[in-house]
Amino acid sequence: MFTPADHEFMTRAIELARKGLYTTTPNPRVGCVIVQEQLIVGEGWHHRAGEPHAEVVALAEAAGQLRGATVYVTLEPCSHFGRTPPCVDALIDAQVGRVIVAMQDPNPSVDGRGLKRLRDAGIEVRCGLLEQEARELNIGFVSRMSRNRPWVRLKLATSLDGLTALPDGTSQWITGEAARRDGHAWRARACAILTGIGTVRDDNPQLSVRLVETPRQPMKVVVDSRLEIDLEAAVLKGAPTLIACAIDNPAKVRELQDRGCEVLPMANGRGKVDLAALMTELAVRGINELHVEAGHKLNGSLIQAGMVDELLMYLAPSLLGKGLPGFELDAPPDLAHCRMLRFTDVERFGADLRVLARF
């Protein structure tokens, strides 16, 4: 049984973990609080890969007040050597008395081993306090570790009748500034932003984070089966761009490489990019959360391939009547077989609504 004080201290640890929302990729977001006699004596959060983990930062701040202390940490302490030494060793050496963990680490290199080592050292260990909150904060890391693919969030801005643009493709702006700013915040937390060649050709987007402050720009990924991208496209400027294609065109590849792009051939045998293989490749590259801003064809292909986990939809209080839809999907044989989602959040931004829904 966890006490109200336990909840309070773990809530603080999760607040600290959120400070790494935009910086820890490919590592998880982790916070740590150390308590002695119901007073916080040390706090820490993981800033970025290669730098000290949250536990090490908190231990340093609490130096001299560690023996018998209680440690609250949002993710199981690591038990293996990576870029930094194992955190369990530091906790054992500090002679802390109790470790309370929000969730077990899904990383196969850890996955309960850290908890076992702490228990074997005589430290009381309890796991599961505010587990869902900690899991949500690291939903992409959990996906990559457990499914070998990123958590895929597909963003759309539509009218109330589900259209993303006028028949001629005009789409700026369906939603207002507040909704667009929130959309950039979701871009900022993602490890990469994915779009298709149709969107690049029609809208020439930058796919960068501009409307909110961010310490780094996500990587950009373009699905371009036939390597049709214009060498002066805005998406090729700024953050590194990965172009997934399905053909061999050495001359175009060299031109793109000269502009700092990486071209990744991955055909599915039908002249298209193998989307499942692309997701696996992105996971190998440490992409935890993938943010999709694409057109109806690629959106539909991703959904039909089972590659989308969550919809991030901004609904404007408008009706377009005719225009471009958000998805191109095969119709179900009847209503009983339509794709069902679960609403997880609805919030207002200016005149618009933001709806989060999961498959």
Side-chain angles (χ1 to χ4, degrees), residues 38 46 113 115 136 201 324:
Q38 297 302 301
H46 182 49
R113 294 179 182 85
L115 302 180
E136 284 295 321
R201 183 177 53 242
L324 301 180

Side-chain angles (χ1 to χ4, degrees), residues 24-27 48-51 53 80-85:
T24 63
T25 300
N27 288 357
R48 54 183 53 84
E51 295 188 9
H53 288 188
H80 66 293
F81 278 91
R83 298 186 187 184
T84 58

Side-chain angles (χ1 to χ4, degrees), residues 20 38 100 106 112 117 146 148 164 199 223 232 269 275 293 350:
Q38 297 302 301
I100 297 180
R117 284 191 56 192
S146 61
N148 296 312
T164 62
T199 299
V223 176
E232 300 304 319
L275 297 175
E293 295 195 23

Side-chain angles (χ1 to χ4, degrees), residues 310-357:
E310 184 172 44
L311 294 184
L312 169 65
M313 296 191 66
Y314 296 91
L315 303 178
S318 62
L319 298 173
L320 299 188
K322 292 183 179 180
L324 301 180
F327 319 101
E328 185 174 290
L329 297 169
D330 294 335
D334 51 54
L335 287 178
H337 292 85
C338 67
R339 293 175 178 82
M340 295 298 297
L341 293 89
R342 173 175 55 90
F343 291 125
T344 59
D345 184 71
V346 178
E347 189 171 345
R348 186 167 178 167
F349 288 85
D352 309 309
L353 290 181
R354 185 192 71 190
V355 177
L356 285 169

Side-chain angles (χ1 to χ4, degrees), residues 204-327:
N204 196 27
Q206 298 179 52
L207 289 189
S208 59
V209 180
R210 302 181 304 281
L211 302 183
V212 298
E213 291 187 7
T214 181
R216 61 103 172 98
Q217 291 289 340
M219 185 177 82
K220 293 180 276 192
V221 183
V222 179
V223 176
D224 182 8
S225 297
R226 296 188 291 273
L227 283 182
E228 299 171 299
I229 193 166
D230 189 314
L231 295 176
E232 300 304 319
V235 74
L236 303 184
K237 300 175 176 63
T241 304
L242 173 69
I243 300 176
C245 66
I247 67 167
D248 183 22
N249 185 337
K252 186 67 172 284
V253 170
R254 283 193 298 271
E255 290 178 314
L256 289 166
Q257 289 173 339
D258 288 343
R259 283 161 172 76
C261 303
E262 180 181 358
V263 179
L264 186 65
M266 41 177 46
N268 63 3
R270 300 185 300 276
K272 300 291 185 180
V273 170
D274 187 327
L275 297 175
L278 176 59
M279 296 302 160
T280 300
E281 176 62 24
L282 292 176
V284 169
R285 294 169 182 244
I287 302 300
N288 293 329
E289 294 184 23
L290 180 66
H291 181 94
V292 178
E293 295 195 23
H296 61 286
K297 290 184 179 180
L298 181 53
N299 287 344
S301 295
L302 287 167
I303 290 173
Q304 293 192 152
M307 293 290 132
V308 177
D309 299 299
E310 184 172 44
L311 294 184
L312 169 65
M313 296 191 66
Y314 296 91
L315 303 178
S318 62
L319 298 173
L320 299 188
K322 292 183 179 180
L324 301 180
F327 319 101

Side-chain angles (χ1 to χ4, degrees), residues 98-115:
R98 187 169 65 141
V99 176
I100 297 180
V101 177
M103 65 172 286
Q104 189 168 312
D105 192 336
N107 186 341
S109 299
V110 185
D111 196 22
R113 294 179 182 85
L115 302 180

